[in-house]
Amino acid sequence: MSTPDTSRFVRLRVELVVEVTDESAVTGAALENISDDSDMPDIERSYAESAVTEDTAEALAYLVDPFTLVSEVPGVELQQASWSTEQIDHDPDSPEWGVDEDDDGWDDGDPDDEGDGDEGRGEPGRGVGRSDGPG
């Protein structure tokens, strides 16, 4: 009998910077998504509707779903997901803005954890700091 040399678990990091060109479209889609979620308790629904109405970044977090991102990848089962959104100042022409530059959001200071600093933040409010597992 032999032990595998590598872990079966892989942390996949993806960082995106998107430009919101139509805030009302993003907010409207998030509100529709919340409305269509029949499993969401009324108190959470009320909180979620308020959050996405007040913050476009929160609305975007309701629309981004890592489960969908990997659901059709053969041989992969998502075990845990954590993601967050925030509004940022972005100047793509600035020499200080580089794709390979480390961002404060990637390192939470724990040398044993390569997390993005948002672990443990999740429900209620499935937006900023959203953290879900399967099921």
Side-chain angles (χ1 to χ4, degrees), residues 25-84:
V26 173
T27 300
L31 288 170
E32 185 176 329
N33 195 14
I34 293 165
S35 173
D36 291 345
D37 187 347
S38 60
D39 294 330
M40 186 181 293
D42 288 341
I43 190 144
E44 184 180 340
R45 183 181 318 280
S46 175
Y47 169 81
E49 290 171 344
S50 174
V52 303
T53 301
E54 294 172 13
D55 184 358
T56 305
E58 181 81 14
L60 183 60
Y62 269 86
L63 299 171
V64 173
D65 184 4
F67 298 105
T68 304
L69 178 66
V70 297
S71 67
E72 295 187 23
V73 176
V76 173
E77 182 178 324
L78 184 63
Q79 295 297 307
Q80 180 180 357
S82 176
W83 66 106
S84 65

Side-chain angles (χ1 to χ4, degrees), residues 82-133:
S82 176
W83 66 106
S84 65
T85 56
E86 63 182 330
Q87 292 184 359
I88 62 168
D89 292 328
H90 175 65
D91 179 3
D93 297 326
S94 169
E96 295 176 9
W97 186 270
V99 175
D100 294 330
E101 297 294 320
D102 281 342
D103 185 5
D104 288 343
W106 283 116
D107 184 11
D108 64 1
D110 183 350
D112 296 327
D113 179 68
E114 295 182 18
D116 63 6
D118 291 327
E119 287 75 20
R121 293 179 59 200
E123 305 296 344
R126 296 165 51 176
V128 175
R130 183 171 176 172
S131 178
D132 291 321

